[in-house]
Amino acid sequence: MRNIQPTTRRGFLKSVTYVLGAALSTTTLSSYATDVAYPKPENVISPEDALQRLMEGNGRYVANTPQPSTYASTRAALVTGQNPYACILGCSDSRVNPDLCFDAGRGDLFVARVAGNFVTPEILASLEYGTAVLQSPLIVVLGHNSCGAIKASIKAVKNDEDFPGHIQLLASSLAPAIDAAIKKDPKNVEDTAVRENVRINVEALKNSTPILRRLVQSKKILVVGGVYDLNTGRVDLVTPT
Ligand SMILES: [Zn+2]
């Protein structure tokens, strides 16, 4: 896995400022966080309540009973800020849209997506911003079955195959999950690799960075994993091993 430690605090802040356009350059994360207004007061909840709310939203999605909403209802309130109640690290796959599968509204989810849903420095910076600055209490790493990135990585590992352009970068980044799945359940490598990839990236987020580790240890945030089923739309949480 690539090194995901921010090189310097200044470098990290500069990176976040670049990515999100926030005025962070001379303000510490903690003092900035205290200045955050809450345009959606209903989103100021505990990590456990955030997880329950997310899973209830998935229940509505599975049952095809979404909350009534209008596109205009929260637009004005969210012009000057945001306080999402959950951050999602999801796959880019067009069939797995976190806002839809958790029946969430505008301003509810802070979503970072990359094919194969794994941590990169930019994803990490986004999730640090979502939790430390926007004060979201929950991160969910969301994998899914029949994931093209996982399938490609299995081919690359098993056949020692290289993909063209930058696609190989995806396959290489997922290789630790494929290796773990081959050892754990060689007869069901694909589904096992999906779960192992979620577990690996949950652990990476919990332990690899000072900002997230501190938030986890002080119980300000939860980091959990889930797998979305393309057939049913249901998200099952992945237990750590
Ligand atoms: Zn995928």
Side-chain angles (χ1 to χ4, degrees):
M1 179 179 281
R2 293 158 68 190
N3 176 23
I4 53 176
Q5 294 281 356
T7 49
T8 63
R9 178 181 178 80
R10 188 172 178 165
F12 164 65
L13 289 175
K14 192 175 169 191
S15 166
V16 170
T17 305
Y18 171 74
V19 171
L20 294 148
L24 287 170
S25 57
T26 58
T27 314
T28 65
L29 282 171
S30 56
S31 65
Y32 181 84
T34 59
D35 294 336
V36 170
Y38 295 119
K40 295 189 89 172
E42 69 274 22
N43 284 2
V44 184
I45 52 180
S46 70
E48 293 76 17
D49 286 348
L51 182 57
Q52 184 180 343
R53 182 170 162 190
L54 205 62
M55 297 309 285
E56 285 173 357
N58 180 242
R60 292 192 301 275
Y61 174 75
V62 171
N64 199 25
T65 55
Q67 284 184 320
S69 64
T70 67
Y71 285 123
S73 60
T74 53
R75 195 176 286 150
L78 291 165
V79 168
T80 54
Q82 58 171 322
N83 60 314
Y85 75 84
C87 298
I88 311 290
L89 164 52
C91 183
S92 301
D93 194 300
S94 62
R95 300 164 295 179
V96 189
N97 182 320
D99 296 296
L100 288 176
C101 80
F102 294 115
D103 189 30
R106 181 189 292 110
D108 284 342
L109 302 182
F110 191 80
V111 179
R113 292 173 76 171
V114 61
N117 48 272
F118 62 93
V119 178
T120 71
E122 296 81 6
I123 292 272
L124 180 58
S126 300
L127 295 174
E128 286 180 336
Y129 182 87
T131 51
V133 179
L134 299 179
Q135 300 192 353
S136 173
L138 175 66
I139 298 175
V140 178
V141 179
L142 185 64
H144 66 98
N145 62 337
S146 201
C147 177
I150 291 282
K151 288 176 194 238
S153 189
I154 291 171
K155 273 179 87 175
V157 169
K158 283 192 169 174
N159 307 336
D160 202 20
E161 194 174 325
D162 273 351
F163 291 96
H166 289 75
I167 299 172
Q168 181 58 31
L169 179 60
L170 300 178
S172 301
S173 299
L174 298 173
I178 310 305
D179 290 337
I182 289 170
K183 278 189 198 140
K184 199 167 188 176
D185 190 353
K187 289 185 179 162
N188 186 18
V189 171
E190 188 179 320
D191 288 341
T192 308
V194 168
R195 286 192 295 277
E196 289 303 309
N197 182 44
V198 167
R199 286 192 182 103
I200 286 170
N201 284 286
V202 165
E203 286 308 308
L205 291 172
K206 278 182 175 173
N207 299 317
S208 298
T209 90
I211 290 176
L212 293 186
R213 190 167 57 232
R214 201 167 56 238
L215 290 170
V216 168
Q217 286 175 350
S218 61
K219 301 193 186 310
K220 292 223 169 72
I221 67 166
L222 265 181
V223 183
V224 302
V227 172
Y228 175 90
D229 186 305
L230 290 178
N231 293 306
T232 63
R234 183 184 151 108
V235 172
D236 284 317
L237 295 178
V238 174
T239 51
T241 48

